[in-house]
Every structure is written in C-alpha cells, then in structure tokens.
Amino acid sequence: MNIEKKFLETIKKYRLCNKKEKILVALSGGKDSAVTAYLLKKFGYNIEGLYIDLKIGKYSDDCLNAVNELCERLKIKVYIYNIKEKQGKSIKEIWELVKKKKDLNNCAICGVFKKWILNKEARRLKVNKIATGHNLDDEVQTFLMNVLKGSPELSANSGAIIMNISDKKFIPRIKPLFYLDESEILKYAKKNKLVFVQGKCRYSQESYRGEVRDFVNKLSFKNKTNIINNFENIINSVKNNKKIKMQYCEKCGEPSRGKICKKCEFVGF
Ligand code: AMP
Ligand code: FES
Ligand code: ZN
C-alpha cells in the first residue's frame, strides 16, 4: 500500500482540510498520531500539536518526550495540557471519583476527558480542525463493537470527518489515516525514523475492545476495507436524516448532547 497516496486521496475525497486552515494534531506519543503530523507537515498543511499529559508515571513521561522530539523535528509548535494543573485532579483521582458513580473502565473515562479537552483547547487556540491518528483497525474495531452491542447507529457520529454535528463551538475532527492499515503505518513510522512509544498504556482496561482487536488483527486488509465500506453505507443512511443537535452544557458551556455534558456528569465542574 502506498501510504502517502492513500492519505492524500482520503483528504481529497472527504475534503478533510485545506492548506489555509490551521489544524491541531492530537499527539499521543504513539505511531499513528506521529505519522498523521508527519504527513500533514510533509504535504504543506499548517499544523500545531497538542499533548494531553495524564501524568500516569513513566508512560506519560515517555510519551511527552516522544511528542517533544517529533515537534522539534517537524518544527511545529506544541502545547502541553497538564490535566492535574488544569482540572485540579489527576486522572487517577478522576477514575476513582467516576467509578463511584458509574461502571466504566479507565479508558472510557479518559476518552470523555480527552474529547472535552481537545475541543476546548482547539477553540482557545483558534484552529479550524482537530486531527487524530485513528486508523483503519481502530475504526473497524469501533464499528464491530457497536454492531455487536446491537447499536450500529452509534457509528453515525464517526467517519473520516465528523460531519453531522454543526455547531459553532464544536471543532470538526478529522482522521486522515482512516483508510490506512495499522501494520503499514508502523512500517512507515519506522522507515521515516519517527520517535514514538510502542505499546499500550498500562492502565488500559479495555478487555472487550481487546477481544475485538484480536479478531480484527486476524482479518486481511481487504476484509477490513469491506467492513468499513458497510459502515459507510450505514452512516450515510443515518446521516441524511439525522443531524445531531447540540446544546451547551449548563455547567461548563461546552457543546453537549444533553443538558450536562459527560465530563461534567462525571466530576462536576
Ligand atoms: P487511542 O484512543 O489512545 O488509540 O488514541 C486515538 C487518538 O487520540 C490518537 O491517535 C491521538 O490522535 C489522540 N490521543 C490519544 N491520547 C492522546 C493524548 N494523551 N494527547 C493528545 N492526543 C491523544
Ligand atoms: Fe486511558 Fe491509559 S490512556 S487508561
Ligand atoms: Zn460540561
């Protein structure tokens, strides 16, 4: 697979972004977001980086170092969001607090915070789009998980660009690696000598996603592409008649589907 060709085709086909826009790349320290930033920069897009430092020991420090090294090499500005300083609680304290109220795993809680932080910081930094490193394997896993839960429509709010939310406070999120196979991304990252952290966060408790991941790992690129094509048929049919209407959270003012956003539901404000 020619990664660069597929990456450019995805941007063109789904009109993800253009060179006049400012794009904030959500950098995790892993290979996918590193390749996302590398490719956007290589093809002349105007990017900056944001790393959310969850402060969970050596793993977070290693990721921070990798992000700093990458941004130095790409000559891009990088912002570091320290969750403990900004939220007044470490992510471990947040996990404990939320688990008293809700039966959720660590990563589900991190996910809500990461999305909330990304949107708010993107607005503060006045960027046009947020780019994440989600790849074909991630998207197939999420879609299959929603199908297995019996709720494929949950995937309607996904895709290479999140389109069906139109709100001035919601910054569109793009996934330029949406159609790229994980193993190819890894090869590309190594070939271009990108610095990244391998392996998962040791606090990750995604047992169900883990099982689905093992299954997806056994599929061929063709199988995965077929699954994602089915996914597109479904989201297209849901998207046409269902634009998500956003409200503003009564506590923090961020865009939300309910009166209170998930993040404030978790920890108050
Ligand atoms: P994950 O859910 O960990 O596979 O991450 C998916 C994408 O979310 C990554 O490719 C990044 O773009 C973004 N991301 C994950 N963790 C962070 C983080 N700590 N700071 C900034 N972006 C992140
Ligand atoms: Fe979510 Fe580690 S990043 S549990
Ligand atoms: Zn809120």
Side-chain angles (χ1 to χ4, degrees):
M1 180 197 283
N2 183 329
I3 286 238
E4 295 183 356
K5 191 164 161 245
K6 192 90 190 158
F7 166 85
L8 292 171
E9 269 172 21
T10 306
I11 292 185
K12 195 167 164 212
K13 182 168 174 202
Y14 296 93
R15 295 202 205 113
L16 298 191
C17 51
N18 64 54
K19 291 182 182 167
K20 289 190 193 126
E21 291 174 325
K22 190 153 105 177
I23 302 163
L24 187 66
V25 185
L27 294 169
S28 66
K31 64 182 186 320
D32 305 296
S33 49
V35 168
T36 306
Y38 179 83
L39 285 169
L40 284 169
K41 178 76 183 178
K42 175 166 181 173
F43 290 103
Y45 291 91
N46 178 11
I47 61 167
E48 293 182 344
L50 174 75
Y51 172 63
I52 301 167
D53 193 346
L54 298 176
K55 293 274 168 214
I56 36 181
K58 186 176 178 311
Y59 177 76
S60 297
D61 296 342
D62 290 348
C63 292
L64 174 64
N65 291 337
V67 166
N68 278 331
E69 224 174 291
L70 176 79
C71 293
E72 226 168 87
R73 174 166 163 203
L74 299 182
K75 298 193 173 49
I76 61 169
K77 234 192 233 173
V78 60
Y79 301 92
I80 312 295
Y81 184 102
N82 180 325
I83 201 159
K84 172 92 188 169
E85 277 172 17
K86 297 271 173 48
Q87 295 286 325
K89 292 180 189 71
S90 71
I91 195 76
K92 285 187 189 166
E93 288 165 330
I94 294 172
W95 289 334
E96 277 172 30
L97 200 74
V98 177
K99 284 178 185 182
K100 284 186 193 146
K101 300 188 232 168
K102 299 204 175 257
D103 180 24
L104 286 173
N105 65 43
N106 293 346
C107 263
I109 303 170
C110 299
V112 166
F113 273 79
K114 283 179 190 167
K115 275 191 191 155
W116 186 93
I117 292 166
L118 277 176
N119 195 62
K120 202 169 159 85
E121 286 298 288
R123 244 191 6 260
R124 184 179 72 78
L125 298 168
K126 297 192 169 46
V127 303
N128 304 91
K129 304 260 166 72
I130 297 165
T132 62
H134 290 94
N135 60 38
L136 179 67
D137 296 62
D138 297 326
E139 297 304 320
V140 170
Q141 283 160 25
T142 307
F143 176 58
L144 284 181
M145 283 167 68
N146 287 336
V147 170
L148 294 170
K149 266 194 252 169
S151 318
E153 72 283 0
L154 289 178
S155 291
N157 180 23
S158 201
I161 179 162
I162 298 185
M163 296 280 290
N164 55 340
I165 299 176
S166 77
D167 184 278
K168 62 181 188 323
K169 287 180 93 176
F170 179 83
I171 310 299
R173 287 197 294 268
I174 60 170
K175 301 172 185 170
L177 307 189
F178 195 90
Y179 294 97
L180 292 175
D181 202 76
E182 181 154 34
S183 57
E184 297 290 330
I185 296 171
L186 179 63
K187 270 194 240 157
Y188 186 85
K190 287 185 174 165
K191 194 174 112 203
N192 289 286
K193 301 196 168 45
L194 300 182
V195 178
F196 61 91
V197 173
Q198 251 171 321
K200 280 250 134 206
C201 157
R202 74 184 179 94
Y203 294 95
S204 156
Q205 301 169 315
E206 292 190 308
S207 57
Y208 186 48
R209 182 180 282 271
E211 279 174 39
V212 178
R213 183 181 296 124
D214 291 344
F215 170 71
V216 172
N217 281 345
K218 292 187 197 122
L219 299 177
S220 65
F221 175 63
K222 180 98 184 71
N223 285 154
K224 288 187 274 193
T225 308
N226 285 342
I227 292 175
I228 232 49
N229 289 342
N230 282 318
F231 154 90
E232 291 194 331
N233 290 338
I234 291 183
I235 53 168
N236 282 335
S237 63
V238 185
K239 218 159 49 187
N240 292 337
N241 43 25
K242 203 174 157 193
K243 273 238 172 224
I244 293 171
K245 184 125 177 48
M246 283 298 196
Q247 320 181 23
Y248 298 124
C249 169
E250 284 178 2
K251 298 207 176 212
C252 70
E254 283 297 294
S256 162
R257 293 202 202 184
K259 283 191 170 165
I260 310 279
C261 77
K262 274 196 184 162
K263 179 253 174 198
C264 291
E265 206 183 298
F266 283 179
V267 291
F269 190 68

